[in-house]
Amino acid sequence: MKHTITFQPDQVSIRVDKGTNLLDAALGAGVHINASCGGQGVCGKCRVIIEAGEVDSEKTENISQEEYEQGWRQACKTSVLSDCTVQIPVESRGLKRVVAQKLDMGKSDRKISALQTIPLAEGWDLNPVTMKVPVQLTPPTLKDNASDLTRLATALKRQHHIENMSVDIRCLRTLPQILRTGEWSVTATLAAAQGLGAVSSSQDKDRPSKLVRLEPGDTSGQNLGLVLDIGTTTVCAELLDLKTGKVMAEAAEYNKQAQCGEDVITRIVYAQKPEGEKNLQSLVVSSVNQVIDEILEQTGSSKRSIAYIASAGNTTMTHLLLGLETRYIREAPYVPAASFMPLVWASEVGIDVPDCVELFSFPSVASYVGGDIVAGILGSGVFQKKALTLYMDIGTNGEIVLGNRDWLACAACSMGPAFEGGGIKHGMRADQGAIEGFHINPVSLEPMIITVGRKKARGICGSGLISVLAELLSACVIDRNGKFVRDLSSDRVRPGRFGMEYVLAWAEDSGTGHDIVITEVDIENLIRAKGALFAGCLTLLESLSLSFSDLDRVIIAGAFGRYINIEKGKRIGLFPDIPVEKFHFLGNGSLLGSRLLCLSRGMLGDIEGIAKMMTHIELSDNSSFMDKYMGALFLPHTEAGFFPDVIKHLDANCQLIHNERKTS
Amino acid sequence: MKHTITFQPDQVSIRVDKGTNLLDAALGAGVHINASCGGQGVCGKCRVIIEAGEVDSEKTENISQEEYEQGWRQACKTSVLSDCTVQIPVESRGLKRVVAQKLDMGKSDRKISALQTIPLAEGWDLNPVTMKVPVQLTPPTLKDNASDLTRLATALKRQHHIENMSVDIRCLRTLPQILRTGEWSVTATLAAAQGLGAVSSSQDKDRPSKLVRLEPGDTSGQNLGLVLDIGTTTVCAELLDLKTGKVMAEAAEYNKQAQCGEDVITRIVYAQKPEGEKNLQSLVVSSVNQVIDEILEQTGSSKRSIAYIASAGNTTMTHLLLGLETRYIREAPYVPAASFMPLVWASEVGIDVPDCVELFSFPSVASYVGGDIVAGILGSGVFQKKALTLYMDIGTNGEIVLGNRDWLACAACSMGPAFEGGGIKHGMRADQGAIEGFHINPVSLEPMIITVGRKKARGICGSGLISVLAELLSACVIDRNGKFVRDLSSDRVRPGRFGMEYVLAWAEDSGTGHDIVITEVDIENLIRAKGALFAGCLTLLESLSLSFSDLDRVIIAGAFGRYINIEKGKRIGLFPDIPVEKFHFLGNGSLLGSRLLCLSRGMLGDIEGIAKMMTHIELSDNSSFMDKYMGALFLPHTEAGFFPDVIKHLDANCQLIHNERKTS
């Protein structure tokens, strides 16, 4: 159910879902409300008056009883229940005059939820990669004393049409006891009969027929799958109920390998040291075990219920997880040990799950286009549709795929981890307290910040960094070189150890007890990152004689948190200046693809098809890429022609703001 | 080339191969020559005179120069080079009169060599279970930077037509380094792509396609297979050159599990103790590792050249080797954990070979009819021929198979380890110093003993026990109850700790420094063992409405050493009284079948067929078996009708001997 919220005195309206938080609604509408504590309700700066309509709101300490009766509320603690008219008093706006409409800082913004717009692959059915079936055996007699295993195989064939059952030796070791404990009524977990080939993952599209676990009684209701995204910076996991297809829990942790180097190159260098590879393997496994523990704690599920793990990551991460040599990934001509990985037992690489849990690794395309991209292309269905699609995965590296159901080309550009918060002074993952929404009053320079979980700010996540950079630019706090404008009359802009910086949250409003800032060095890193991605997209398009205007769709994947703001991404030159309707936000594409495989083993063939179909275009020895990269080190770009709408907006805003600043 | 040897004064002739040892020839001809030291040449009792013909003979200390010139030689140190006439002087015969012909103790004896009469399976070709192929790769370039594994798979496909190559993760870990060490010229070892099913071993009849080892350069000339026979008492191994099919070396060791119990039942009981199963597993693996070390030492081969291990054993041994629960093998209704075993890595169960060496276990039929029998039926080709065959495997247990290419039935009878030397005071394996040939002078009771390796006697092996028992019976030293005849005038027959005993070798002639004897208790054990086997055969035949006379062939398998004497086996009631021409001696049938599989992977389908085709007949609850067993506890049998020829011979001999003893 949708309601219209009208913000006064700007007279700006937005249609939102019933129950939407008022601060979120204002940010969505481009209406500035001062907000320092991230939405926790403690700073008391976001006071508004509900003039009409029904809201659900806590009375907080920052509102007196008298004010409460007059309609005063804290926006961050208020959700809308009907059409509303909301008055924002001057002290909450920090602007005396009505400027929002003219500044064009809101309304047309399109914020995409990862959960609402997933352009899923089609044609899959719920047919999980591991099966768990109850089975009843006839007890043996002297006249019928076939072996336990033969007896079980016969029953599985009769009761579940499972042909040619095979068995893992470790499972076989438990068989006689479990059959008798269960009084000949047991539950069999069946997995893929064999590993993947060297050049193929499709050898096992048939029904699972390898017995990997046996439990007494009927436990077939508990069949869980785990999906892992092994990122250079972050390890994410989801726990899936393979019976229903539901995601039961999710968790993320920093990849502990970060202590050995921030990006894949430094990790590969580290791996050459004595014990280096072994250490890196242990560190990533330790991170994986940590997310598994968190997920199980959330759901109260037992490790024993996990029957399958699907993992995707970039090529280096996948190699390090499996203990493979990475050296030649880094040295020209950039050759990985393998693209298609064999199935292994998760416990063999150190993952703390029971024996006989298969670990599937998504195949990679090249040294810098990994299984996470193959998984994303699988999950997003790019390979199934006619629409010409640009798929961008923004992680520690930027990977881009261009194509449709007929062809796929890909490239990797070294963005660095900036948009994951790496190399950013207060960068962080989209965890509790991460600034994800940001607006700035262009005159007072007071911020409006919304954090993940509505906690006091602890740092800035990917989508927050896009917002901060775009808003600082729109509000003429930084110039198009990414440098802070001089002579701004606010103590929030100040010199710091890493050049000038802007204080997003003062120590007393922050969750860390320290000022949360963004520095000029942070901004340089962000510009280099977005410049590399843009140059990569452009090079890939041009190498196929295409341009941005030919694109039917742009799919953005990455760990940005729940939302991404396309307009703001365009404003800083991260995304191309094409209609927002063409954009889709996938969230973590790697997890999405892994999830799809777990639920629908028929996708194995598609995975192989994608990995084999994708043509890799090497940017590292492409001189045109370097030229394009240099041109993109500007906000949004040195060539105005690439971003006509953005430039127009920025020019108009700038004029207005300078006037405002003079008059205020 | 054959020569005729005529022994005087008995005028007994035998045709033997050129180079045959004179003592062997005499034993074969049933001619007694005193011989105490087993053929080592030190006792000096086997002096003979070469009257005509050419021989090759060392002059020993026991022959003076003058004697040597007159034609005196030691029989044990002489081999024949032409037709010969050999005079045996009275002091070497111990008999004054000529009795050999009348006693009918020789001539018709048929001694079968394991190496000469193997009735091999047909229709196999040299197509080993693992392949080793040299492969040349094109080094990668920026334009062709596919992964190392993809590059290798492509080259294997082009150069060796290997499709769908898969890889083990441990092998993959070594891949990048080995490709570069070998400068893109390497040797790939390819094994079966997947393990066996629960109910089938034929899933992998195609070409090997799983990469399990990679070596720099061309090492394809060294492709070795190891075959193991895991017996309750003895662990035997052979090293095979898979390129040529040749057996390079063999070794045997006692199964160290013996310290936990002599037969499978006591081992299963032991396995129920805390750590019991684990201890048994470690002990058998330690025995396996010992035979492997011996074999490698013999050939100077490297462990790294072993690419495959095929193992066969009885059901309990196979379970214990793989670490499977044995408890329900012993408890009615006698159910093993599995009949078809999954392929495992040999190193996983503790066998000290490199990673990624597959360990194949022959499938079993029932709790007491194991993979060793399936291997024997495979190797002997029983399943391929029209001839109705009785297959007997005489080990710690007796297993019998009856049938032909159309049907197979099997049963197991608990013989105990007597014919393997277990429970026999001086029983031993057919190792150096084991008495394998035996003859006794029925009057002087002086023995003629021939040992394995012509060493001083250290004990008696299986074929020796058959000889000793048969000769003692023929020479009226023991009666048909197996008891020593009283009032024999020889210090070789004496009371001992285990009843009466016969001294085969005095301490000074023995290799142990102690008297080597056979006791009445030993003889009781042997009678019980042969009784169980005979009763089993009879029960199996009768359950199919057949009798011994219906048999076209009898195949005898077992670790008897190089030879087995069929007549003597018949004389004690171990083998049925049917024409000797129908008998074949296979030696170790288990090793033979394993060897065949290693050399010809096409046999996998046959193995499955045999295991599935064989109907198991349970003797443990068969009252008719028990009756037959009681009847067989006699030499040769209580019912004379089963052994008409033997009885006739014994009766005739007995009369003659008693007369001889009176006159001498």
Side-chain angles (χ1 to χ4, degrees):
Chain A
M1 205 174 165
K2 296 269 186 189
H3 296 299
T4 301
I5 314 299
T6 307
F7 292 100
Q8 297 292 8
D10 295 272
Q11 196 100 19
V12 174
S13 294
I14 186 170
R15 300 253 320 146
V16 296
D17 289 330
K18 182 173 181 171
T20 296
N21 179 284
L22 212 48
L23 205 57
D24 281 339
L27 191 72
V31 170
H32 184 87
I33 302 176
N34 287 339
S36 304
C37 69
Q40 200 174 5
V42 294
C43 73
K45 289 184 178 163
C46 63
R47 289 155 43 109
V48 296
I49 305 157
I50 309 299
E51 293 191 336
E54 203 186 333
V55 297
D56 180 17
S57 183
E58 286 176 47
K59 185 191 160 307
T60 63
E61 290 183 356
N62 298 307
I63 309 279
S64 70
Q65 188 57 37
E66 192 187 345
E67 286 172 331
Y68 191 78
E69 281 159 19
Q70 288 167 3
W72 289 83
R73 298 288 185 276
Q74 274 191 260
C76 71
K77 289 288 175 187
T78 301
S79 53
V80 298
L81 300 177
S82 71
D83 289 358
C84 292
T85 303
V86 179
Q87 182 66 240
I88 305 170
V90 67
E91 67 270 24
S92 298
R93 297 168 63 217
L95 275 181
K96 288 175 201 140
R97 295 207 291 134
V98 175
V99 293
Q101 279 168 298
K102 294 177 198 155
L103 279 176
D104 187 22
M105 285 176 83
K107 274 210 115 166
S108 69
D109 271 10
R110 180 164 162 162
K111 199 173 63 172
I112 311 181
S113 152
L115 304 173
Q116 284 158 14
T117 64
I118 292 168
L120 259 187
E122 291 159 1
W124 62 278
D125 52 351
L126 188 59
N127 178 16
V129 81
T130 58
M131 262 170 69
K132 219 165 162 183
V133 292
V135 54
Q136 297 291 331
L137 287 81
T138 321
T141 62
L142 268 180
K143 292 221 180 313
D144 166 24
N145 60 2
S147 75
D148 288 341
L149 187 60
T150 302
R151 186 169 306 276
L152 179 63
T154 308
L156 280 169
K157 191 171 174 179
R158 287 208 190 122
Q159 293 166 37
H160 298 282
H161 312 291
I162 289 154
E163 302 281 341
N164 292 322
M165 186 190 99
S166 63
V167 65
D168 182 82
I169 185 74
R170 284 166 297 186
C171 181
L172 182 54
R173 288 182 182 134
T174 69
L175 176 72
Q177 214 45 62
I178 289 174
L179 286 182
R180 287 161 183 87
T181 305
E183 295 177 341
W184 308 98
S185 163
V186 293
T187 301
T189 303
L190 296 148
Q194 61 180 103
L196 304 186
V199 289
S200 152
S201 52
S202 69
Q203 290 177 17
D204 187 42
K205 277 178 283 191
D206 304 330
R207 299 188 78 207
S209 65
K210 180 170 197 167
L211 181 67
V212 291
R213 191 175 303 158
L214 202 69
E215 291 161 301
D218 185 352
T219 62
S220 61
Q222 281 273 331
N223 189 15
L224 306 185
L226 188 79
V227 293
L228 289 175
D229 172 44
I230 313 290
T232 309
T233 305
T234 310
V235 172
C236 304
E238 284 178 353
L239 189 66
L240 301 182
D241 182 335
L242 298 180
K243 284 266 164 182
T244 61
K246 279 188 189 149
V247 177
M248 298 171 67
E250 53 190 336
E253 282 297 334
Y254 286 111
N255 185 337
K256 289 181 189 163
Q257 286 180 341
Q259 63 190 251
C260 307
E262 219 165 56
D263 54 31
V264 297
I265 298 299
T266 51
R267 307 252 175 109
I268 294 173
V269 171
Y270 180 90
Q272 304 314 308
K273 295 185 188 176
E275 301 289 295
E277 187 184 298
K278 208 176 140 195
N279 287 345
L280 288 169
Q281 208 268 344
S282 303
L283 287 166
V284 69
V285 165
S286 151
S287 303
V288 167
N289 287 336
Q290 198 176 339
V291 291
I292 293 177
D293 285 345
E294 284 176 33
I295 266 185
L296 292 175
E297 205 180 306
Q298 282 176 48
T299 58
S301 303
S302 150
K303 251 175 207 168
R304 283 202 59 79
S305 300
I306 298 175
Y308 190 80
I309 302 181
S311 153
N314 65 53
T315 307
T316 303
M317 289 304 113
T318 303
H319 275 57
L320 288 173
L321 177 66
L322 297 178
L324 300 179
E325 171 91 71
T326 50
R327 179 170 162 193
Y328 306 102
I329 291 179
R330 177 175 156 255
E331 295 177 6
Y334 318 116
V335 178
S339 302
F340 285 83
M341 298 295 171
L343 262 187
V344 299
W345 298 126
S347 57
E348 259 178 45
V349 297
I351 297 179
D352 184 20
V353 290
D355 283 344
C356 301
V357 173
E358 284 177 343
L359 170 64
F360 173 87
S361 305
F362 269 77
S364 62
V365 175
S367 276
Y368 297 100
V369 180
D372 48 351
I373 303 307
V374 172
I377 295 299
L378 177 82
S380 62
V382 171
F383 71 108
Q384 295 175 322
K385 299 196 176 70
K386 208 183 163 188
L388 179 62
T389 305
L390 178 67
Y391 178 98
M392 306 172 160
D393 190 297
I394 301 172
T396 306
N397 220 26
E399 289 103 354
I400 43 188
V401 179
L402 185 65
N404 58 17
R405 67 185 179 200
D406 299 319
W407 58 272
L408 291 168
C410 65
C413 41
S414 186
M415 287 177 71
F419 282 98
E420 284 196 295
I424 302 296
K425 189 168 182 191
H426 290 127
M428 69 177 283
R429 213 177 40 234
D431 263 351
Q432 300 275 312
I435 296 173
E436 57 172 353
F438 177 77
H439 199 282
I440 187 169
N441 179 318
V443 177
S444 69
L445 305 194
E446 279 306 299
M448 170 184 188
I449 62 172
I450 298 184
T451 61
V452 176
R454 302 283 179 267
K455 303 289 183 213
K456 283 184 165 186
R458 304 185 59 84
I460 322 165
C461 70
S463 50
L465 287 165
I466 295 173
S467 279
V468 168
L469 198 59
E471 292 301 317
L472 292 178
L473 180 68
S474 280
C476 297
V477 179
I478 58 172
D479 63 22
R480 295 182 198 177
N481 283 307
K483 303 298 174 198
F484 280 94
V485 171
R486 307 292 145 177
D487 306 322
L488 291 169
S489 56
S490 164
D491 51 1
R492 285 193 181 260
V493 177
R494 67 186 188 192
R497 207 174 134 201
F498 299 96
M500 295 294 286
E501 61 189 26
Y502 172 78
V503 182
L504 293 151
W506 297 112
E508 67 262 29
D509 289 329
S510 89
T512 61
H514 300 285
D515 294 350
I516 306 292
V517 303
I518 183 151
T519 72
E520 243 171 39
V521 170
D522 293 341
I523 294 167
E524 272 171 31
N525 282 334
L526 290 167
I527 290 175
R528 272 200 291 271
K530 73 94 193 170
L533 183 71
F534 187 83
C537 293
L538 195 58
T539 310
L540 189 59
L541 278 162
E542 286 188 0
S543 73
L544 293 152
S545 307
L546 292 166
S547 68
F548 286 114
S549 60
D550 294 315
L551 297 174
D552 296 315
R553 298 195 301 170
V554 176
I555 295 179
I556 295 154
F560 289 105
R562 294 170 304 157
Y563 301 105
I564 196 163
N565 189 307
I566 299 301
E567 284 293 352
K568 290 181 182 174
K570 283 162 64 172
R571 208 180 298 158
I572 62 171
L574 177 67
F575 303 141
D577 193 6
I578 59 174
V580 287
E581 293 74 27
K582 292 190 174 181
F583 284 86
H584 300 267
F585 177 47
L586 198 64
N588 188 319
S590 168
L591 285 180
L592 176 65
S594 291
R595 203 154 70 215
L596 206 56
L597 168 66
C598 282
L599 298 178
S600 185
R601 54 185 298 101
M603 301 315 270
L604 264 176
D606 294 311
I607 292 170
E608 181 187 352
I610 292 166
K612 289 191 170 171
M613 183 179 178
M614 236 188 259
T615 306
H616 175 237
I617 295 182
E618 184 66 62
L619 295 184
S620 66
D621 63 339
N622 189 318
S623 61
S624 150
F625 169 75
M626 211 52 204
D627 293 343
K628 290 183 173 64
Y629 171 64
M630 297 308 291
L633 296 179
F634 199 70
L635 295 172
H637 199 279
T638 40
E639 262 184 69
F642 282 122
F643 291 90
D645 291 346
V646 172
I647 301 285
K648 208 171 108 195
H649 151 83
L650 286 177
D651 286 346
N653 261 22
C654 224
Q655 195 55 47
L656 274 166
I657 289 167
H658 285 301
N659 290 342
E660 275 300 317
R661 285 186 185 153
K662 276 178 203 156
T663 56
S664 63
Chain B
M1 203 173 168
K2 296 268 185 191
H3 296 299
T4 301
I5 314 299
T6 307
F7 292 100
Q8 297 293 7
D10 296 273
Q11 195 100 21
V12 174
S13 293
I14 186 170
R15 292 217 18 110
V16 297
D17 287 331
K18 181 173 181 169
T20 295
N21 180 283
L22 213 49
L23 204 56
D24 283 338
L27 190 72
V31 170
H32 184 86
I33 302 176
N34 287 340
S36 304
C37 68
Q40 201 175 2
V42 294
C43 72
K45 290 186 180 161
C46 63
R47 290 156 44 111
V48 296
I49 305 158
I50 309 300
E51 294 191 336
E54 201 185 336
V55 297
D56 181 16
S57 183
E58 286 176 48
K59 185 190 159 309
T60 63
E61 289 183 356
N62 298 307
I63 310 277
S64 70
Q65 188 57 37
E66 192 187 345
E67 286 172 331
Y68 191 77
E69 282 160 17
Q70 288 167 2
W72 289 83
R73 298 289 184 275
Q74 272 192 261
C76 70
K77 288 289 175 189
T78 302
S79 53
V80 299
L81 300 176
S82 71
D83 289 357
C84 292
T85 303
V86 180
Q87 182 68 240
I88 305 170
V90 67
E91 67 270 26
S92 298
R93 298 167 63 215
L95 273 181
K96 288 176 201 137
R97 295 207 294 131
V98 176
V99 292
Q101 278 166 298
K102 296 175 198 155
L103 280 175
D104 188 22
M105 285 176 83
K107 274 208 117 168
S108 69
D109 270 10
R110 180 167 162 159
K111 200 172 63 173
I112 309 181
S113 152
L115 303 172
Q116 283 158 15
T117 64
I118 291 168
L120 259 187
E122 292 159 358
W124 62 278
D125 53 351
L126 188 59
N127 177 15
V129 82
T130 58
M131 263 169 68
K132 219 165 162 182
V133 292
V135 54
Q136 297 290 331
L137 287 80
T138 321
T141 61
L142 267 181
K143 291 222 181 313
D144 167 23
N145 59 3
S147 75
D148 287 341
L149 187 60
T150 302
R151 185 170 306 277
L152 180 63
T154 308
L156 280 169
K157 191 170 173 177
R158 286 208 190 123
Q159 293 167 35
H160 298 282
H161 312 291
I162 288 155
E163 303 280 340
N164 291 322
M165 185 190 100
S166 63
V167 65
D168 182 82
I169 184 75
R170 284 167 296 185
C171 180
L172 182 55
R173 287 183 183 133
T174 68
L175 176 71
Q177 214 46 63
I178 289 175
L179 286 182
R180 287 161 182 87
T181 304
E183 293 177 339
W184 309 98
S185 163
V186 293
T187 301
T189 303
L190 295 148
Q194 59 180 103
L196 305 185
V199 288
S200 152
S201 51
S202 69
Q203 289 178 19
D204 188 42
K205 278 177 283 192
D206 303 331
R207 298 188 80 206
S209 65
K210 181 171 195 168
L211 181 68
V212 292
R213 191 175 304 157
L214 202 68
E215 291 161 300
D218 185 352
T219 62
S220 61
Q222 279 274 330
N223 188 15
L224 306 186
L226 189 79
V227 294
L228 288 176
D229 172 44
I230 312 291
T232 308
T233 305
T234 311
V235 172
C236 305
E238 285 178 355
L239 188 67
L240 301 181
D241 182 334
L242 299 180
K243 285 267 165 182
T244 61
K246 280 190 188 145
V247 177
M248 299 171 65
E250 52 190 338
E253 281 298 333
Y254 287 111
N255 185 336
K256 290 183 188 160
Q257 286 181 342
Q259 63 189 251
C260 308
E262 219 165 56
D263 55 30
V264 296
I265 298 301
T266 51
R267 307 255 175 106
I268 294 173
V269 171
Y270 181 90
Q272 303 315 307
K273 294 184 187 176
E275 301 288 296
E277 187 183 298
K278 208 177 138 194
N279 286 345
L280 288 169
Q281 208 267 343
S282 303
L283 286 166
V284 69
V285 165
S286 151
S287 304
V288 166
N289 287 336
Q290 200 177 338
V291 290
I292 293 177
D293 285 344
E294 284 175 33
I295 267 185
L296 292 176
E297 206 180 305
Q298 282 176 47
T299 58
S301 304
S302 151
K303 251 175 209 170
R304 282 202 60 80
S305 300
I306 297 175
Y308 190 79
I309 303 181
S311 153
N314 65 53
T315 307
T316 303
M317 289 305 113
T318 303
H319 275 57
L320 289 173
L321 177 66
L322 297 178
L324 301 178
E325 171 92 72
T326 50
R327 179 171 161 191
Y328 305 102
I329 290 180
R330 176 174 157 256
E331 296 177 6
Y334 318 115
V335 178
S339 302
F340 286 83
M341 298 296 171
L343 262 187
V344 299
W345 298 125
S347 57
E348 258 178 46
V349 298
I351 297 178
D352 185 20
V353 290
D355 282 345
C356 301
V357 173
E358 283 178 344
L359 171 64
F360 173 86
S361 305
F362 269 76
S364 62
V365 175
S367 276
Y368 296 100
V369 180
D372 47 352
I373 304 308
V374 173
I377 296 299
L378 177 82
S380 62
V382 171
F383 71 108
Q384 296 176 321
K385 299 195 175 70
K386 208 182 163 189
L388 178 62
T389 305
L390 177 66
Y391 178 98
M392 304 174 162
D393 190 296
I394 301 173
T396 306
N397 221 25
E399 289 103 354
I400 41 188
V401 180
L402 185 64
N404 57 17
R405 67 184 179 200
D406 299 319
W407 59 271
L408 291 168
C410 64
C413 41
S414 186
M415 287 178 71
F419 283 97
E420 283 197 295
I424 302 297
K425 190 171 181 192
H426 290 129
M428 70 176 283
R429 213 177 39 233
D431 263 351
Q432 301 275 311
I435 296 173
E436 57 171 353
F438 176 77
H439 198 283
I440 187 169
N441 178 319
V443 177
S444 69
L445 305 193
E446 278 306 298
M448 169 184 189
I449 62 173
I450 298 185
T451 60
V452 176
R454 301 285 180 267
K455 303 289 182 212
K456 283 185 165 187
R458 305 185 59 87
I460 322 164
C461 69
S463 50
L465 287 165
I466 294 173
S467 279
V468 168
L469 198 59
E471 293 302 317
L472 292 178
L473 182 66
S474 281
C476 296
V477 178
I478 58 171
D479 63 21
R480 294 182 196 177
N481 283 306
K483 302 298 174 200
F484 279 95
V485 170
R486 305 295 145 178
D487 306 323
L488 291 169
S489 57
S490 164
D491 51 1
R492 284 192 182 259
V493 176
R494 67 186 187 191
R497 210 176 131 200
F498 299 97
M500 295 295 286
E501 62 190 27
Y502 172 78
V503 182
L504 294 152
W506 297 112
E508 67 263 28
D509 289 329
S510 89
T512 61
H514 301 284
D515 294 350
I516 305 292
V517 302
I518 184 150
T519 73
E520 243 171 39
V521 170
D522 293 342
I523 294 169
E524 272 170 33
N525 283 334
L526 290 167
I527 291 176
R528 272 200 291 272
K530 72 94 193 170
L533 183 71
F534 187 84
C537 292
L538 194 57
T539 311
L540 188 60
L541 279 162
E542 285 188 1
S543 73
L544 293 152
S545 307
L546 292 166
S547 69
F548 286 114
S549 59
D550 293 316
L551 296 174
D552 296 317
R553 296 196 303 170
V554 177
I555 295 178
I556 296 154
F560 289 105
R562 294 170 303 157
Y563 302 106
I564 196 162
N565 189 307
I566 299 301
E567 285 293 353
K568 291 182 182 175
K570 281 161 65 172
R571 207 179 300 160
I572 62 170
L574 177 68
F575 304 140
D577 193 6
I578 58 174
V580 288
E581 292 73 28
K582 292 190 175 181
F583 283 86
H584 300 267
F585 177 47
L586 198 64
N588 189 319
S590 168
L591 286 181
L592 175 65
S594 292
R595 203 153 72 214
L596 205 57
L597 168 67
C598 282
L599 298 179
S600 184
R601 55 185 296 102
M603 301 315 269
L604 264 176
D606 294 311
I607 292 171
E608 182 187 350
I610 292 166
K612 289 191 170 171
M613 183 178 178
M614 235 187 260
T615 305
H616 175 237
I617 295 183
E618 185 65 62
L619 296 183
S620 66
D621 64 339
N622 189 317
S623 61
S624 150
F625 169 74
M626 211 52 203
D627 294 343
K628 291 183 173 63
Y629 170 64
M630 296 309 289
L633 296 178
F634 199 71
L635 295 171
H637 199 278
T638 40
E639 264 184 67
F642 282 122
F643 291 90
D645 291 346
V646 171
I647 300 284
K648 207 172 110 198
H649 152 83
L650 286 177
D651 286 345
N653 260 22
C654 224
Q655 196 54 48
L656 272 168
I657 287 167
H658 285 301
N659 290 342
E660 276 300 317
R661 282 187 187 151
K662 276 178 204 155
T663 57
S664 63

